[in-house]
Amino acid sequence: MSDTPLLDQLETGPWPSFVKDLKRVAARKPATRDLLRQLERSYKDKITHWKHGGIVGVLGYGSGIIGRYSDLPDEFPGVAHFHTIRINQPSGWFYTTQALRELCAIWDEHGSGALNVHGSTGDLVFLGTTTDELEPTFAALTAKGWDLGGSGSAMRTPSCCVGEARCEYSCYDTMDLCYQVTQNFQFDMHRPSFPYKFKIKCSGCPNDCVAAVARADMSVIGVWKDDIRIDQAAVAAYAAGELKPRAGGTPYAKLDIKADVTDLCPTICMKYDGKKLAIDNKNCNHCMHCISLMPQALRIGTETGASLLLGSHAPILEGAQMSWVIVPFMPMEAPYAEFMALVGNIHEWWSEHGKNRERTGELMLRLGMRNFFQSVGLEPPPQTVRTPRANPFFFWHAEDFEAEDKGRKYIKL
């Protein structure tokens, strides 16, 4: 009889099971065999048997290794130490088969053979090795040109969509920005010195394929400033059913432009009279709904860059929190000096005022948006205003009176 009957049930469904993969590795890796046995015990006891027993790492680095220990080391000695190693992934997750084989060979020699490509954090994750194998694993990785990712209260490994490499919607080179950010903030990634984690994720367009606005402290979302380009002949082809919506990515054969496109515009900035499509671009909020439905008829503008949003995360007590727009439009061209300087200012403000395990979004809520914008040197954009001011009474600061004495006009007629 199998010693993992509960796990065996997971192999009986119609979908591929991680249990089957782990059993294949367990045939040659005792640690992975004990991993399965401990997981079976956790299913039976209905509690985890992992514990954090201290900080481990490699020489010169404070992050990249997540220490993990079993609380049943005598029963499952193969996972008494089962540390996780995060590997800094290439931009856009582009790997050659040779690179993947090198990584797998390194892990097969020094660890459990189980890995995660890719976790929600972005890194490639090596799952399970002993403390004695950390330095040899790190040496083998660096010899092949790999580095560790971020962990703990540090700059986390930046990640991005494929951007201009494969996507016609991309408004900037996501892969280059991701690489440059990774290089620029190496110290902050490898030596934790922040109140808590800080994530940067780069999406080439508002479709946000890396879900940056929900998961990243700093979201870099590609946008355009000018008008959406329209091919009226292609619009007519969509209306006639000659072109398939979403380039064939839906079960619908024909597009009802009024019902499916213009009536669903969140800002009601589009009109279709049966022959011609018109867009009031000043009221467009770049949701990408119309462009995604009719990619051959509508194109993003030509004056492109990115919107910067800050503050998203999912704290347990307050619940999920989305990002705020802090810069509506910023040109995104190498060497990205304006962007790097702003991120540095945010880090300084957060490091000075943040409490332990308080992320930037929580600090912004605690101290207020006015304090944030003043501290990092940004003009507050109207996109941060949820509703117009209704109360005529508000407080002035001393610097406002000083600026007024020097000629600043707060109401420009």
Side-chain angles (χ1 to χ4, degrees):
M1 182 179 177
S2 169
D3 57 354
T4 57
L6 296 177
L7 290 179
D8 294 347
Q9 293 181 34
L10 298 178
E11 297 183 83
T12 62
W15 308 109
S17 172
F18 72 95
V19 175
K20 183 177 180 179
D21 288 338
L22 286 177
K23 283 183 177 180
R24 186 167 62 245
V25 178
R28 55 187 176 81
K29 289 285 185 177
T32 308
R33 182 61 191 166
D34 275 356
L35 173 66
L36 286 166
R37 294 173 60 228
Q38 177 169 298
L39 182 58
E40 177 77 16
R41 178 68 175 272
S42 293
Y43 281 5
K44 181 179 179 181
D45 296 346
K46 296 183 174 57
I47 60 172
T48 181
H49 285 290
W50 294 115
K51 67 175 184 177
H52 286 271
I55 297 173
V56 293
V58 295
L59 186 63
Y61 281 51
S63 64
I65 311 292
I66 298 91
R68 187 162 286 116
Y69 302 87
S70 170
D71 66 2
L72 299 172
D74 296 332
E75 188 172 349
F76 307 113
V79 292
H81 300 191
F82 205 75
H83 308 314
T84 291
I85 302 176
R86 288 181 177 168
I87 314 301
N88 194 330
Q89 81 280 355
S91 293
W93 303 289
F94 280 104
Y95 293 90
T96 63
T97 54
Q98 179 184 352
L100 289 172
R101 289 180 185 279
E102 288 175 353
L103 288 167
C104 289
I106 291 170
W107 193 228
D108 207 36
E109 180 180 355
H110 298 287
S112 69
L115 50 82
N116 184 353
V117 188
H118 274 267
S120 60
T121 185
D123 302 283
L124 185 149
V125 183
F126 284 173
L127 297 166
T129 193
T130 63
T131 304
D132 293 342
E133 288 291 345
L134 291 176
E135 286 291 352
T137 304
F138 180 59
L141 287 168
T142 55
K144 295 293 185 180
W146 298 94
D147 201 354
L148 301 188
S151 67
S153 297
M155 178 83 158
R156 296 301 181 85
T157 312
S159 64
C160 66
C161 67
V162 296
E164 293 178 347
R166 294 191 66 180
C167 181
E168 60 189 313
Y169 299 149
S170 187
C171 296
Y172 69 98
D173 191 339
T174 57
M175 293 175 61
D176 184 57
L177 176 64
C178 184
Y179 175 78
Q180 297 299 337
V181 168
T182 302
Q183 298 301 316
N184 192 71
F185 294 102
Q186 282 286 299
F187 185 91
D188 299 313
M189 284 177 57
H190 293 150
R191 294 159 185 85
S193 58
F194 292 158
Y196 202 20
K197 65 184 76 169
F198 189 89
K199 299 179 180 180
I200 295 179
K201 296 186 185 296
C202 310
S203 287
C205 77
N207 277 329
D208 192 14
C209 291
V210 294
V213 296
R215 304 189 301 140
D217 298 274
M218 169 68 80
S219 310
V220 188
I221 311 296
V223 292
W224 61 94
K225 288 183 69 174
D226 51 345
D227 295 348
I228 295 174
R229 292 171 284 170
I230 306 175
D231 183 338
Q232 298 291 353
V235 172
Y238 277 107
E242 298 169 11
L243 293 174
K244 306 301 180 185
R246 287 193 190 275
T250 74
Y252 307 108
K254 186 178 179 180
L255 191 65
D256 184 333
I257 294 178
K258 183 178 185 304
D260 299 331
V261 182
T262 62
D263 287 356
L264 297 180
C265 175
T267 59
I268 319 174
C269 73
M270 306 182 74
K271 292 182 179 179
Y272 180 64
D273 60 8
K275 294 183 179 179
K276 186 177 181 179
L277 181 69
I279 302 176
D280 177 10
N281 282 276
K282 290 184 178 180
N283 285 309
C284 172
N285 71 351
H286 304 86
C287 75
M288 293 292 289
H289 173 68
C290 60
I291 297 177
S292 296
L293 275 180
M294 302 191 296
Q296 290 178 254
L298 301 175
R299 306 279 292 180
I300 62 174
T302 57
E303 189 178 355
T304 57
S307 289
L308 306 185
L309 298 89
L310 190 69
S312 69
H313 62 298
I316 295 173
L317 296 180
E318 293 88 354
Q321 181 174 304
M322 303 295 280
S323 298
W324 288 283
V325 174
I326 59 170
V327 179
F329 184 85
M330 179 182 287
M332 280 292 157
E333 298 179 357
Y336 314 104
E338 185 180 2
F339 176 79
M340 301 296 184
L342 175 59
V343 174
N345 290 343
I346 293 170
H347 286 171
E348 289 183 12
W349 174 72
W350 177 44
S351 296
E352 181 177 354
H353 300 285
K355 298 179 180 179
N356 185 39
R357 297 181 72 83
E358 182 177 50
R359 293 176 71 171
T360 51
E362 294 164 309
L363 180 60
M364 291 164 73
L365 283 173
R366 180 165 63 85
L367 297 186
M369 295 295 286
R370 181 187 182 108
N371 184 305
F372 166 74
F373 283 118
Q374 287 180 331
S375 299
V376 302
L378 285 176
E379 287 291 324
Q383 284 84 350
T384 62
V385 179
R386 182 174 296 174
T387 56
R389 181 186 298 279
N391 188 338
F393 300 100
F394 56 95
F395 294 99
W396 292 85
H397 288 232
E399 57 264 30
D400 294 323
F401 291 107
E402 295 169 2
E404 194 173 35
D405 289 340
K406 294 179 181 178
R408 178 173 180 178
K409 295 184 182 299
Y410 287 91
I411 301 177
K412 298 178 182 179
L413 303 177

